């Protein structure tokens, strides 16, 4: 029988979605308009809490591996102007809701939310609290660039009730950092961690990446060990997605310096080994958490969810997105704001809902989303039970090669991805994706 690594490599170069939504973003279209979003907002159930996502589309410097919607600038004026527009968008969207909605989660992402000055962040959180009923136990989370943390920001986050922070760490290896234009030594990360913990921001996540130029198994292991010195509650481990066609700044990364598929896989396996040996629980495709962390507890209780921020305990009935390119999710479907900051600002300041595209969900979409989300979260899905829940006939994708190679087992109507083949969970989920053939070029490789 072929070795596990050989089997994974057979499937590793397939370009696949990360399934943070279904249908995935490349399938969104302009047929969903601002008018649709306004109707969907007005129909939200005021008794059910919602979540908010706010996207800050600026960074001080561009990391060459970046796949986010952001722009590098050293000028503060555009960031200030953006903050004004974000205030206007909060007012606009809140005015379209049937009531002052309860909010159970607020997530600040980007780009770099740390680019917002303390006074601006406070003003924006105050505005959210004025327009929404942000509950006392709401989870407020923020993505942090450790290079730009300051005591004033930490104090601001504490006062605003931020409880979780996700730090972009990526790698501690200086040669790799130089090749991706992101120099941050362990002292910078240590300084950010100390400031956040001293301010009571207790839940810390570290983002790590493999597959970057000059990364090796040894320096990946060393980076994990260095990261573990800080005892983060969670880690997210991503494979670098090299798509210079879509992200032109990635052309600054020399392809000759990138590890090949076999080396990428060895790095992913080595990182998983280090984290599991240290007692972290593997969650889904790429997350790890301490056993007593709420993410691991939700995973154990099969209450985990997946959204645009990755794996989450958030079970709100809708997520409203703010800022350029932000994606929202409501019972009727997905909506995405226009990605260009200038156009987003123009529309918001004109009082227009700045939707560019979206996807209205069919019953079949909801059904397949349920199967795909369950597989992505728990590596298994009882297809007949989900089928009964939705009142639809179960899809019967061809899983024969996965079954023959031991990647998947079928037990009655449950499809289960073998633990050894966790890196291929996207491949198995993709078998249930009715849209995939049309959209593969826009995704990253599976491993
Ligand atoms: S800090 Fe994050 S969002 Fe900004 S350029 Fe670097 S990777 Fe991209």
């Amino acid at each position: 029988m072929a070795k596990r690594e050989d089997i994974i490599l057979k499937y590793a170069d397939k370009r696949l979605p990360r399934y943070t939504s279904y249908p995935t973003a490349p399938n969104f279209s302009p047929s969903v308009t601002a008018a649709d979003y306004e109707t969907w907002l007005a129909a939200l159930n005021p008794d059910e809490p919602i979540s908010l996502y706010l996207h800050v589309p600026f960074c001080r410097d561009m990391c060459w591996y970046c796949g986010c919607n952001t722009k590098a600038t050293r000028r503060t004026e555009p960031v200030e102007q953006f903050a004004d527009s974000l205030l206007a968008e909060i007012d606009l969207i809140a005015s379209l809701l049937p009531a002052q909605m309860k909010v159970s989660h607020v997530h600040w992402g980007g780009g770099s939310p740390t680019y917002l000055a303390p006074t601006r962040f406070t003003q924006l959180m105050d505005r959210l609290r004025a327009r929404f009923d942000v509950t006392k136990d709401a989870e407020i989370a923020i993505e942090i660039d450790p290079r730009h943390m300051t005591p004033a920001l930490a104090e601001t986050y504490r006062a605003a009730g931020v409880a979780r922070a996700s730090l972009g760490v990526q790698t501690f290896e200086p040669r790799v950092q130089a090749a991706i234009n992101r120099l941050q030594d362990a002292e910078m990360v240590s300084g950010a961690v100390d400031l956040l913990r001293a301010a009571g921001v207790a839940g810390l996540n570290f983002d790590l990446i493999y597959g970057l130029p000059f990364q090796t198994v040894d320096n990946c292991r060393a980076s994990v060990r260095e990261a573990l010195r800080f005892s983060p509650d969670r880690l997210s481990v991503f494979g670098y997605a090299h798509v210079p066609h879509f992200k032109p700044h990635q052309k600054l990364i020399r392809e000759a310096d990138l590890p090949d598929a076999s080396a990428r896989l060895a790095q992913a396996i080595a990182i998983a080994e280090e984290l599991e040996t240290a007692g972290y629980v593997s969650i889904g495709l790429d997350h790890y958490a301490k056993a007593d962390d709420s993410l691991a507890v939700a995973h154990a209780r099969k209450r985990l969810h997946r959204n645009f921020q990755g794996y989450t305990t958030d079970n709100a009935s809708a997520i409203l997105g703010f800022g350029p390119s932000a994606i929202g999710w409501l019972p009727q479907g997905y909506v995405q704001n226009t990605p260009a900051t200038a156009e987003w600002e123009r529309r918001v300041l004109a009082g227009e809902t700045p939707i560019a595209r979206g996807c209205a969900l069919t019953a079949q979409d909801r059904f397949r989303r349920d199967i795909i989300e369950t597989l992505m979260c728990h590596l298994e899905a009882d297809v007949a039970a989900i089928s009964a829940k939705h009142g639809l006939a179960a899809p019967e994708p061809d899983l024969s090669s996965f079954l023959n190679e031991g990647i998947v087992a079928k037990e009655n109507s449950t499809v289960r991805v073998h633990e050894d083949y966790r890196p291929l969970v996207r491949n198995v989920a993709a078998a249930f994706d009715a849209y995939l053939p049309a959209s593969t070029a826009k995704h990253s490789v599976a491993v």
Side-chain angles (χ1 to χ4, degrees):
M1 190 151 169
K3 266 177 46 201
R4 171 196 178 208
E5 281 79 359
D6 294 338
I7 293 175
I8 296 176
L9 283 173
K10 249 178 73 178
Y11 296 93
D13 63 351
K14 198 151 192 261
R15 292 196 173 272
L16 293 170
R18 302 186 67 77
Y19 291 116
T20 51
S21 72
Y22 180 82
T24 55
N27 296 294
F28 294 0
S29 83
S31 64
V32 171
T33 63
D36 293 318
Y37 186 37
E38 289 168 17
T39 306
W40 296 356
L41 287 170
L44 282 170
N45 181 346
D47 297 329
E48 290 185 8
I50 59 170
S51 295
L52 309 178
Y53 171 74
L54 300 102
H55 187 87
V56 181
F58 295 105
C59 296
R60 285 185 178 77
D61 299 287
M62 183 58 80
C63 310
W64 294 339
Y65 64 89
C66 181
C68 303
N69 182 52
T70 189
K71 186 173 177 209
T73 180
R74 293 293 181 97
R75 294 171 50 236
T76 53
E77 292 88 343
V79 186
E80 286 292 302
Q81 199 176 313
F82 161 77
D84 283 336
S85 305
L86 195 55
L87 288 166
E89 191 183 22
I90 293 167
D91 290 344
L92 173 66
I93 299 301
S95 75
L96 297 167
L97 294 166
Q100 193 181 30
M101 302 288 291
K102 281 194 187 60
V103 167
S104 57
H105 281 75
V106 178
H107 188 105
W108 287 87
S112 297
T114 36
Y115 211 160
L116 288 169
T119 48
R120 283 306 213 164
F121 187 82
T122 302
Q123 184 188 23
L124 284 155
M125 280 301 305
D126 286 349
R127 187 65 61 92
L128 288 178
R129 288 199 157 94
R131 298 284 181 258
F132 295 89
D133 176 10
V134 180
T135 59
K136 270 205 169 57
D137 56 352
E139 183 173 277
I140 301 172
I142 188 165
E143 294 169 14
I144 299 283
D145 184 336
R147 298 170 295 178
H148 301 297
M149 261 309 289
T150 62
L153 280 174
E155 171 54 25
T156 300
Y157 298 154
R158 182 202 63 74
V162 173
R164 287 202 171 273
S166 183
L167 284 81
V169 173
Q170 324 310 2
T171 170
F172 285 100
E173 174 63 35
R175 189 181 184 204
V176 181
Q177 291 186 354
I180 57 172
N181 197 38
R182 185 175 180 130
L183 293 173
Q184 64 183 29
D185 56 26
E187 279 71 64
M188 273 182 197
V189 175
S190 173
V193 167
D194 289 348
L195 284 171
L196 289 163
R197 285 196 168 132
V201 181
L204 295 189
N205 176 84
F206 278 17
D207 283 349
L208 299 179
I209 304 190
Y210 64 87
L212 291 170
F214 305 118
Q215 273 188 306
T216 62
V217 164
D218 284 350
N219 66 38
C220 282
R221 284 191 189 275
S223 283
V224 175
R225 287 178 189 154
E226 185 72 32
L228 292 178
R229 283 204 305 121
F230 302 100
S231 191
D233 305 277
R234 302 174 185 175
L235 297 104
S236 313
V237 180
F238 303 112
Y240 166 54
H242 190 62
V243 284
H245 237 63
F246 298 111
K247 296 285 171 187
H249 56 265
Q250 291 186 347
K251 290 182 184 145
L252 294 164
I253 289 182
R254 289 193 343 145
E255 282 184 19
D257 299 333
L258 290 170
D260 64 14
S262 159
R264 283 172 66 94
L265 176 60
Q267 292 166 19
I269 290 174
I271 292 171
E273 273 172 14
E274 291 288 337
L275 292 173
E276 284 162 13
T277 303
Y280 284 81
V281 177
S282 275
I283 294 174
L285 175 66
D286 48 19
H287 280 42
Y288 298 82
K290 288 181 176 173
D292 59 353
D293 181 87
S294 56
L295 201 68
V297 172
H299 177 252
R301 294 183 182 161
K302 296 241 171 14
R303 289 196 193 143
L304 197 62
H305 293 280
R306 186 156 173 83
N307 66 21
F308 289 99
Q309 282 76 58
Y311 291 103
T312 176
T313 56
D314 184 0
N315 64 354
S317 58
I319 297 175
L320 309 187
F322 298 83
S325 80
I327 296 179
W329 169 73
L330 293 92
Q332 297 88 338
Y334 297 99
V335 283
Q336 182 168 29
N337 276 354
T338 189
T341 301
E343 171 70 359
W344 168 81
E345 281 181 348
R346 186 196 63 70
R347 290 181 66 183
V348 165
L349 296 177
E352 278 177 44
T353 312
I355 295 302
R357 58 192 197 130
C359 175
L361 291 169
T362 65
Q364 186 66 220
D365 292 336
R366 289 192 174 86
F367 174 33
R368 287 177 184 261
R369 181 175 64 179
D370 208 350
I371 296 175
I372 288 173
E373 186 183 17
T374 307
L375 274 170
M376 291 298 295
C377 288
H378 302 295
L379 270 67
E380 64 178 31
D382 183 339
V383 177
I386 297 173
S387 169
K389 185 169 122 194
H390 289 264
L392 290 169
E396 290 180 8
D398 179 11
L399 299 175
S400 56
S401 60
F402 296 141
L403 288 162
N404 292 340
E405 291 178 300
I407 295 166
V408 154
K410 263 188 105 172
E411 205 175 284
N412 301 319
S413 57
T414 297
V415 172
R416 183 171 294 123
V417 180
H418 193 289
E419 176 58 41
D420 282 354
Y421 296 104
R422 180 182 289 274
L424 297 182
V425 63
R426 288 202 275 169
N427 301 63
V428 179
F432 293 89
D433 181 344
Y435 297 86
L436 189 60
S439 59
T440 49
K442 299 201 172 169
H443 303 297
S444 58
V445 290
V447 180

